[in-house]
Amino acid sequence: MGYKVVVVGATGNVGKEMLNILAEREFPVDEIAVLASRKSLGTEVSFGDETLKTQDLEQFDFTGWDIALFAIGSDATKVYAPKAAATGCVVIDNSSLYRYDPDVPLIVPEVNADAIEGYTKKNIIANPNCSTAQMVVALKPLHDRAKIKRVVVSTYQSVSGTGKEAIDELWDQTKGIYVPGQEVQPKVYPKQIAFNVIPHIDVFLDSGETKEEWKMVAETKKIVDPAIKVTATCVRVPVFVGHSEAVNIEFEEFLDWEEATEILREAPGVMVVDKREAGGYITPVECVGEYATYISRIRQDSTIENGLNLWCVSDNLRKGAALNAVQIAEVLGQRCLKKG
């Protein structure tokens, strides 16, 4: 026996990637339904060799379905996730709505799979922010060895994190710069994204940090250890897919970069590519379509007593969103639902 699975938001970038990964990883699906808003009703999406037509989310009855992967915004999730959960269908939510709810586990399977047992409180599991997910996969094995005190991270986040309209804006602006009269003004972003970087992701808070920066702090504490201090600067860059991060880590005790490298080589979900030569590191272009979180540029930070620097790159549509959600579903099945 397999699972009856619903993908909500199946026509979006993340929803399509969820379907791809469910098929690629041969998740035990007995039956699958793909849902979208009414304006996308009947749109066809691929699931392995099958072509599926989207159904109307508003009219769908979740009764009898096992798992629902949600890839829609927080406003719609607020309406439909509790409805799905109330029928007994377990919701795995990719929005930010439930991440900070103490009764909802926030899961990165390589890091805190044991926390999944808490899903029964609301029948909902939260998927973390894309920039947090890849970072904590690298932090956890190092934290287990030397205990992390503080993390300073600067992100270089691709436009796919914002959605299809942002991808189109980068493409159109890039072309328009070279064709007089076809210049494209910013709509999705407050400033031009082509050939530019924008130190602003999500809304500004009273503290001066952005919501994206706050998310990285709060989620790292919830997933790894509330004692870790985190400060983040999140930047949008003109890259289509793949988030990169420069991570500075301060430990409670000394950790040699060579030992750190070996720890990361053995860590689940991590791939170390770190040759100290031209091209001996990973860039976003190379991580697209891959499952792993790639780590490069591991080195001692000589400015503090127990410090390391590293470079962290991952496909944000995969590990940062769709892959992590499917991995959560796999853990849920193996540990809790036990079908398939």
Side-chain angles (χ1 to χ4, degrees):
M1 276 181 66
Y3 297 94
K4 295 180 68 175
V5 178
V6 185
V7 176
V8 183
T11 58
N13 288 337
V14 174
K16 288 177 182 175
E17 202 64 36
M18 285 174 171
L19 289 165
N20 290 339
I21 292 170
L22 284 166
E24 283 175 21
R25 293 174 72 90
E26 298 181 343
F27 186 83
V29 174
D30 264 5
E31 189 176 345
I32 191 160
V34 289
L35 310 185
S37 62
R38 192 161 291 173
K39 67 179 182 182
S40 299
L41 193 61
T43 301
E44 293 186 340
V45 293
S46 297
F47 174 61
D49 296 330
E50 298 178 56
T51 300
L52 308 172
K53 281 193 174 180
T54 56
Q55 302 178 51
D56 185 1
L57 170 58
E58 282 185 42
Q59 303 299 321
F60 190 79
D61 183 1
F62 288 89
T63 305
W65 293 83
D66 298 306
I67 300 170
L69 303 175
F70 270 62
I72 53 177
S74 293
D75 289 345
T77 298
K78 194 172 187 177
V79 175
Y80 296 105
K83 288 183 179 179
T87 69
C89 180
V90 182
V91 172
I92 299 172
D93 176 33
N94 195 59
S95 81
S96 62
L97 183 64
Y98 292 104
R99 290 175 188 159
Y100 318 106
D101 186 327
D103 291 334
V104 174
L106 179 65
I107 302 291
V108 175
E110 297 92 338
V111 177
N112 65 333
D114 290 348
I116 203 162
E117 306 288 346
Y119 86 92
T120 53
K121 290 180 181 176
K122 288 193 173 177
N123 244 18
I124 297 172
I125 303 165
N127 208 23
N129 188 38
C130 48
S131 49
T132 307
Q134 68 187 68
M135 184 174 74
V136 297
V137 168
L139 293 183
K140 181 60 165 62
L142 300 176
H143 183 62
D144 288 345
R145 161 63 182 82
K147 199 161 188 190
I148 295 169
K149 287 173 61 177
R150 182 171 184 255
V151 175
V152 180
V153 56
S154 298
T155 71
Y156 308 75
Q157 294 178 229
S158 67
V159 296
S160 58
T162 309
K164 184 180 181 301
E165 289 181 354
I167 293 172
D168 292 342
E169 181 157 296
L170 172 57
W171 176 251
D172 293 338
Q173 277 183 359
T174 303
K175 289 190 299 179
I177 284 170
Y178 290 104
V179 183
Q182 291 190 20
E183 295 85 356
V184 175
Q185 294 303 311
K187 290 182 182 175
V188 176
Y189 296 118
K191 297 198 178 195
Q192 174 185 309
I193 185 61
F195 303 99
N196 199 15
V197 297
I198 304 172
H200 170 198
I201 301 177
D202 212 323
V203 297
F204 277 93
L205 306 177
D206 290 342
S207 62
E209 63 188 340
T210 63
K211 186 78 177 288
E212 185 81 358
E213 291 156 356
W214 177 86
K215 288 175 190 174
M216 291 195 76
V217 175
E219 293 174 21
T220 301
K221 287 175 175 288
K222 185 172 179 179
I223 296 167
V224 183
D225 188 336
I228 295 176
K229 295 178 179 179
V230 182
T231 182
T233 301
C234 294
V235 182
R236 192 72 69 188
V237 297
V239 170
F240 287 113
V241 178
H243 287 357
S244 306
E245 298 170 349
V247 187
N248 175 265
I249 310 166
E250 183 180 359
F251 298 91
E252 289 196 356
E253 59 184 277
F254 182 76
L255 178 60
D256 179 78
W257 71 268
E258 291 175 302
E259 184 184 352
T261 300
E262 290 310 308
I263 290 168
L264 290 168
R265 285 192 196 283
E266 298 297 319
V270 172
M271 184 75 71
V272 174
V273 178
D274 193 13
K275 297 177 183 177
R276 295 182 169 186
E277 60 186 45
Y281 40 79
I282 289 288
T283 61
V285 168
E286 297 151 292
C287 79
V288 175
E290 299 292 333
Y291 287 150
T293 294
Y294 288 90
I295 306 297
S296 306
R297 303 293 321 282
I298 305 164
R299 61 205 188 277
Q300 230 72 48
D301 175 5
S302 61
T303 68
I304 53 176
E305 193 171 344
N306 301 317
L308 283 178
N309 288 303
L310 57 82
W311 176 249
C312 175
V313 181
S314 191
D315 181 330
N316 56 293
L317 297 179
R318 290 206 151 206
K319 185 55 194 169
L323 171 62
N324 200 73
V326 174
Q327 287 177 305
I328 291 171
E330 290 170 347
V331 174
L332 179 70
Q334 292 157 5
R335 297 193 179 203
C336 306
L337 304 184
K338 297 184 179 176
K339 284 188 189 179

